[in-house]
Amino acid sequence: MSHNSFGHLFRFTTWGESHGIALGCVVDGCPPNLSISEAEVQEFLDKRKPGQSKYTTQRREADEVKILSGVMPQEDGTWLTTGTPISMMIENTDQRSKDYSDIAKRYRPGHADFAYDAKYGIRDYRGGGRSSARETAARVAAGAIARKVISGVAVRAALVQMGPHKVDRSRWDWDEVNNNPFFCPDPVAAKEWATELDRIRKAGSSIGAVIEVVAEGVSAGWGAPVYAKLDQDIASAFMSINAVKGVEIGNGFEAAEITGEENADEIRMGADGNPEFLSNKSGGVLGGISSGQPVVARFAVKPTSSILTPRQSITSDGEEVDVMTKGRHDPCVGIRAVPIGEAMMACVLADHYLRHRGQVG
Ligand SMILES: Cc1cc2nc3c(=O)[nH]c(=O)nc-3n(C[C@H](O)[C@H](O)[C@H](O)COP(=O)(O)O)c2cc1C
């Protein structure tokens, strides 16, 4: 299985499966002399880890990260990156392979089972193996390192839609995001979602969601005009996250519905002598290059395919069966996708920052 690496100058490779001994990543290209600690990486992993509330999978994983290489302890007890590969490992501690034995041969509709068998002829069915979103823990760890590379950039994300229910943007409050189990910026919507998701969870069903990721402090000039557009790489990074079926940059699909006049991000000279954009429909990217405005992108995740209602499928032997998934699952994978989206945005920006510096100094 190849293609397990991301990025050019800030590059990471992830390894591991859902029910293996451990999973992790190797981050290569991180500049030296950046201060880093396991606790700082852990903070982001804790946001993603399962079992945080009744609204996420009840798999219990501590998701404790160990940094194995690429750092040097200092006299004051802190660690500095050395410029060598940073290897990080997270042990899998709550694997229950027996939960999955009855789907060893059955293809879960909407999951990767059929496609993996068609491609490789062998599949680790325990928890979905490599197709499990356990892999995203490694990306979140890499994202924590990426944030160090672009320390002047603040990357934040929020759940802005659960099923058909959208947040009211007039109530958007970033401080609310960590106050509810959904990373929702609208306290009223968060309450409504709680009732809705309880109903869905109890019915053994699932629901999709939309996540918005915002990066502030990105200087103008990151990205490249043709095959390494910043928005192109963000879209690719988001699409690489499990269950993602759509990506928007800036106003995204809304741009197709409005006129050129409405879509223009007009420019004036600001009081500080710098250009000032009067709107940000472009999502902070023009011609594949950052404009200096906040970089704004969204991604849509589908409803979890593991559901209790039987769905028609086949086995690897060609027998027609009904499949129902009894293992633990997230009723709305969008919740835990919030820190994953932040991590991927941070990795894309760190990579582009280093590439920009490499070309233009
Ligand atoms: C945070 C997160 C948790 C997930 N948990 C589950 C899960 O419990 N059950 C499930 O069927 N799919 C889950 N998924 C989605 C599957 O990993 C994904 O649908 C599957 O790998 C097939 O890939 P695709 O949906 O991108 O085509 C999760 C996705 C994310 C982002």
Side-chain angles (χ1 to χ4, degrees), residues 110-112 131 133 241-244 302 304-306 328-330 333 336-337 340:
H111 217 290
S131 73
I241 300 170
N242 312 49
V244 173
K302 70 189 194 187
T304 329
S305 59
S306 308
R328 298 155 293 173
H329 75 268
D330 281 283
V333 299
R336 292 172 58 228
I340 304 167

Side-chain angles (χ1 to χ4, degrees), residues 48 57 100 108 110-113 116 128 130-134 136 239-245 299 301-307 325 327-338 340:
R48 195 217 71 102
T57 175
Y100 298 94
R108 289 168 294 173
H111 217 290
D113 307 339
Y116 269 51
R130 184 74 177 156
S131 73
S132 162
R134 283 276 315 132
T136 60
M239 283 302 295
S240 78
I241 300 170
N242 312 49
V244 173
K245 295 308 261 185
F299 58 94
V301 293
K302 70 189 194 187
T304 329
S305 59
S306 308
I307 48 172
T325 313
R328 298 155 293 173
H329 75 268
D330 281 283
C332 176
V333 299
I335 301 171
R336 292 172 58 228
V338 171
I340 304 167

Side-chain angles (χ1 to χ4, degrees), residues 13 27 36 41-42 45 55 70 79 84 100 136 143 181 210 241-242 256 280 293 313 330 346 355:
T13 301
V27 177
I36 186 77
V41 179
Q42 193 63 51
L45 282 166
Y55 304 108
W79 291 356
T84 60
Y100 298 94
T136 60
V210 178
I241 300 170
N242 312 49
N280 189 14
Q293 291 216 82
S313 186
D330 281 283
R355 283 148 79 174

Side-chain angles (χ1 to χ4, degrees), residues 40 55 57 127 150 172 182 195 201 213 251 281 283 299 325 333:
E40 286 170 298
Y55 304 108
T57 175
I150 47 161
W172 188 296
F182 309 111
T195 316
R201 186 178 59 86
V213 188
N251 61 351
K281 303 252 180 11
F299 58 94
T325 313
V333 299

Side-chain angles (χ1 to χ4, degrees), residues 239-286:
M239 283 302 295
S240 78
I241 300 170
N242 312 49
V244 173
K245 295 308 261 185
V247 179
E248 288 188 320
I249 310 288
N251 61 351
F253 278 80
E254 189 209 20
E257 295 173 16
I258 59 179
T259 62
E261 291 81 357
E262 291 166 316
N263 201 52
D265 291 324
E266 294 181 273
I267 317 176
R268 281 282 175 244
M269 285 311 293
D272 60 358
N274 290 315
E276 190 186 314
F277 289 86
L278 306 186
S279 57
N280 189 14
K281 303 252 180 11
S282 71
V285 187
L286 294 167

Side-chain angles (χ1 to χ4, degrees), residues 289-332:
I289 297 171
S290 57
S291 65
Q293 291 216 82
V295 175
V296 182
R298 278 177 298 286
F299 58 94
V301 293
K302 70 189 194 187
T304 329
S305 59
S306 308
I307 48 172
L308 283 180
T309 309
R311 298 282 90 186
Q312 296 179 73
S313 186
I314 55 166
T315 67
S316 47
D317 300 326
E319 186 194 342
E320 291 185 350
V321 288
D322 283 346
V323 173
M324 137 184 164
T325 313
K326 280 183 275 172
R328 298 155 293 173
H329 75 268
D330 281 283
C332 176

